[in-house]
Amino acid sequence: MKRKNYSKELKSKVALAAIKGNQTVNEIASEFGIHASLVNRWKKEAIEALPLVFGNSKAKQTKEAEIERDRLYQTVGKLQVELDWL
């Protein structure tokens, strides 16, 4: 049996409805046609991810720059070895 894949838009709507707390978990689950455990799981994932949304974008850019720099150093090293071999 194949697992269902839900869109991130649906997951965000369900999680937002659960966080608001205007409806019970069972009401949200029946409204969206999913199991109640998914509502709880998506709510938990959304709450855990919230600090990342408001995180420092400069730190993210720095990390990406470090990864790119490391990749370039590896490429230069590989090319240097090939040149020495020739």
Side-chain angles (χ1 to χ4, degrees):
M1 187 170 172
K2 191 174 181 181
R3 296 181 112 185
K4 280 190 172 183
N5 290 326
Y6 298 100
S7 68
K8 54 187 168 184
E9 290 82 13
L10 175 69
K11 291 179 181 181
S12 62
K13 287 179 185 178
V14 171
L16 185 59
I19 291 170
K20 284 182 181 178
N22 295 337
Q23 298 172 303
T24 65
V25 172
N26 289 330
E27 290 173 341
I28 296 169
S30 64
E31 178 183 338
F32 290 99
I34 58 174
H35 196 272
S37 65
L38 286 176
V39 175
N40 290 324
R41 184 182 332 155
W42 294 344
K43 177 184 175 183
K44 180 182 175 190
E45 289 175 5
I47 291 173
E48 289 174 353
L50 278 175
L52 300 175
V53 172
F54 297 108
N56 188 354
S57 62
K58 185 166 180 106
K60 184 178 179 183
Q61 290 174 347
T62 304
K63 184 173 181 170
E64 290 174 355
E66 288 177 11
I67 291 170
E68 180 68 14
R69 185 187 69 219
D70 291 342
R71 187 186 66 76
L72 291 173
Y73 277 135
Q74 288 175 347
T75 304
V76 168
K78 179 181 172 187
L79 292 172
Q80 184 65 39
V81 169
E82 290 176 1
L83 182 62
D84 290 344
W85 186 79
L86 291 174

